[in-house]
Amino acid sequence: MTEGLPMAVPDPALPRRVRIHEVGPRDGLQNEQATVPTEVKAEFIHRLAAAGLDTIEATSFVHPKWVPQLADAERLMPLLGDVGAHLPVLVPNTRGLERALALGVREIAVFGSATESFAKANLNRTVDESLEMFAPVVAAAREAGATVRGYLSMCFGDPWEGPVPPAQVVRVGRRLLELGCDQLSLGDTIGVATPGHVTALLTALNQAGVATGQLAVHFHDTYGQALANTLAALRHGVTTIDASAGGLGGCPYAKSATGNLATEDLVWMLHGLGIETGVDLGRLTATSVWMADRLGRPSPSRTVRALSHQES
Amino acid sequence: MTEGLPMAVPDPALPRRVRIHEVGPRDGLQNEQATVPTEVKAEFIHRLAAAGLDTIEATSFVHPKWVPQLADAERLMPLLGDVGAHLPVLVPNTRGLERALALGVREIAVFGSATESFAKANLNRTVDESLEMFAPVVAAAREAGATVRGYLSMCFGDPWEGPVPPAQVVRVGRRLLELGCDQLSLGDTIGVATPGHVTALLTALNQAGVATGQLAVHFHDTYGQALANTLAALRHGVTTIDASAGGLGGCPYAKSATGNLATEDLVWMLHGLGIETGVDLGRLTATSVWMADRLGRPSPSRTVRALSHQES
């Protein structure tokens, strides 16, 4: 029985409302082995919106060679006209931006790295070269009236470089904002962050003139730390939290069940803290169970597992 | 690569040192399907102590009919003479206490419930009747020079009753302390707690005259909340945290992988916060991998999975 649970006990030091930036259809499915049919993706996004998520990153306009799972972006977007939620998309470069704008998209995201090693591995560029690549993308997006989110990956630790100093993240993050990004999403791509590190990075960004309202956090649950880190970010005043329905999306270093923070686990905590999200946890869980059936494997979300076992 | 990770970033508002109360050999194995040979249990406890855990709940002197997994308590304890750690044991009643004392045990625990439903289900008694049963056990233990921990289960939610009001927990918790318990371990037996609820309960106990130093917390990860709840407890000043190596021990409501907070996930957070535990995370993880092999199933700990995948 979970009626009346979690019991809502607000903490006056925390925000009263949080915007969940749902990344399951993009960040989640891009990292799944299976390629999901376009119609299933569209239904997934419709179900997520019906569960109350108002910002759902829909897909990526990256070259199909690099991310075959999302090669159907042009076919997917027209199926989402009536979703009734913000539907940002990832664009890697000017060509991707042009494709997205041509479909009427007006919320985009670019994907940068705080470390040289990951910039090299993921973008085959130095950090500064990647910023040069993003500059015309962000400028053109803004000229077209689009908002731009800047992802910054490896903000806490890097698989090649180890711990990442906050000053390094601040330098690249400020550059992304100077290019014209509206929001910076701080990614703990390998899931190694802990709460004190989160607070230290947010504080360092504030001290460099970045307002907390410009920041989102993107935690991975590789070491089980994502919710504790989220709590630290909430306490710092962050009100945009990235999460992936059902915990979709693996991590190359722990393939089994430990990728993105699961939206359901996040919602359980937020609702327990009396923080409004607009999300119906039952409908969201049902959506993740449905998607897990499509993918042929159980959801790694602990809340999804617990609620679906109880309901069965 | 995880060298230098997690990066230690202390938070001055948190304790500098935490005592981990390791419950894997008792609470963990008692809830596993398999019955583990006595010699394997003894090696497990020796390995945990060698990994730096200084308080390891070794077994339970409950009637073998109720917990056949721990029916070998009399044979196990003599194998642990040289462990070099505190080895408390659970005792359900006077008979169990006598058996433990006869073996030289001087640290015991009793197991109470904050709710009538669970007292009835687990002890076949009302809450008040269970306290009457514990009174002579605690008195005799103290007379023999033993310390007594009082477990209090269902402190946040109950599968039959839903949310549990803090005032109800305070009433039973105070009674256990009045009986002579040295420490109260607040159990979130079904894993539904969230951080604000944790803070509210700890505050209510303080207001009723219970010092934070008398309190330990015992969280379950059924909904993925255990570490966030731990962070709230640390912020309140709690310095004794229960955890189970490798996350051993299921929960009847989510059998797959979501029982006790995994000691490794806890240690990752604590070390990231610069909090001393005395634990060698590498040795602890190796112990949980070894135990998982004995049990024939992977550890549900995210940190164990991540570290062992990386090492393989």
Side-chain angles (χ1 to χ4, degrees), chain A:
Chain A
M1 194 196 92
T2 54
E3 279 172 57
L5 293 168
M7 187 166 111
V9 185
D11 180 332
L14 303 184
R16 298 182 64 174
R17 187 171 176 88
V18 156
R19 165 167 288 190
I20 297 173
H21 187 101
E22 170 61 44
V23 299
R26 197 277 302 168
D27 192 13
L29 294 185
Q30 141 179 344
N31 287 298
E32 292 289 334
Q33 292 290 323
T35 299
V36 176
T38 308
E39 292 67 26
V40 172
K41 290 176 182 171
E43 183 170 351
F44 184 38
I45 291 169
H46 276 93
R47 285 177 180 243
L48 291 170
L53 289 158
D54 74 351
T55 304
I56 306 167
E57 202 160 291
T59 187
S60 174
F61 285 83
V62 65
H63 194 288
K65 186 170 74 177
W66 302 118
V67 185
Q69 294 93 333
L70 304 182
D72 59 354
E74 255 94 3
R75 288 195 294 118
L76 175 63
M77 294 308 291
L79 302 179
L80 305 177
D82 57 346
V83 160
H86 297 272
L87 297 174
V89 304
L90 196 69
V91 303
N93 50 32
T94 303
R95 173 72 190 119
L97 176 68
E98 286 167 359
R99 291 169 57 205
L101 291 176
L103 287 162
V105 170
R106 288 299 178 272
E107 297 179 64
I108 67 134
V110 297
F111 194 85
S113 169
T115 67
E116 294 294 344
S117 301
F118 190 63
K120 189 75 186 169
N122 195 49
L123 304 166
N124 198 26
R125 283 169 171 76
T126 67
V127 167
D128 285 338
E129 286 166 357
S130 71
L131 291 166
E132 282 168 33
M133 175 176 71
F134 295 142
V137 179
V138 178
R142 294 190 62 102
E143 202 167 311
T147 59
V148 184
R149 159 179 260 229
Y151 279 104
L152 195 51
S153 52
M154 303 295 173
C155 286
F156 298 91
D158 174 287
W160 300 276
E161 300 180 21
V164 177
Q168 184 173 333
V169 182
V170 168
R171 184 186 80 83
V172 187
R174 283 190 63 183
R175 290 284 306 279
L176 279 169
L177 292 169
E178 285 162 6
L179 290 182
C181 288
D182 303 279
Q183 187 180 58
L184 203 58
S185 174
L186 304 167
D188 180 20
T189 316
I190 59 170
V192 297
T194 46
H197 196 167
V198 172
T199 304
L201 176 57
L202 294 169
T203 302
L205 282 157
N206 292 160
Q207 287 168 347
V210 179
T212 303
Q214 294 175 282
L215 298 171
V217 287
H218 184 109
F219 294 123
H220 279 218
D221 227 359
T222 320
Y223 296 84
Q225 310 293 310
L227 264 190
N229 292 337
T230 300
L231 185 59
L234 290 170
R235 194 167 294 280
H236 194 87
V238 173
T239 56
T240 301
I241 314 285
D242 295 7
S244 175
L248 279 180
C251 165
Y253 299 92
K255 287 173 187 164
S256 49
T258 55
N260 284 295
L261 170 60
T263 311
E264 290 85 354
D265 297 10
L266 172 63
V267 168
W268 186 280
M269 184 176 83
L270 294 175
H271 289 187
L273 287 162
I275 295 172
E276 290 174 39
T277 65
V279 173
D280 178 327
L281 182 57
R283 290 186 80 164
L284 177 59
T285 300
T287 297
S288 289
V289 170
W290 171 86
M291 194 66 209
D293 284 347
R294 304 279 93 60
L295 292 167
R297 67 164 183 77
S299 163
S301 161
R302 299 202 160 177
T303 296
V304 169
R305 289 188 187 192
L307 289 176
S308 57
H309 283 211
Q310 286 180 342
E311 284 163 3
S312 68

Side-chain angles (χ1 to χ4, degrees), chain B residues 149-162:
Chain B
R149 157 178 264 229
Y151 279 104
L152 196 50
S153 52
M154 303 295 173
C155 287
F156 298 91
D158 174 287
W160 301 277
E161 301 180 20

Side-chain angles (χ1 to χ4, degrees), chain B residues 118-139:
Chain B
F118 190 63
K120 189 74 186 171
N122 194 49
L123 304 166
N124 197 27
R125 282 168 171 76
T126 66
V127 167
D128 285 338
E129 285 166 357
S130 71
L131 292 166
E132 282 167 32
M133 176 176 72
F134 295 142
V137 178
V138 178

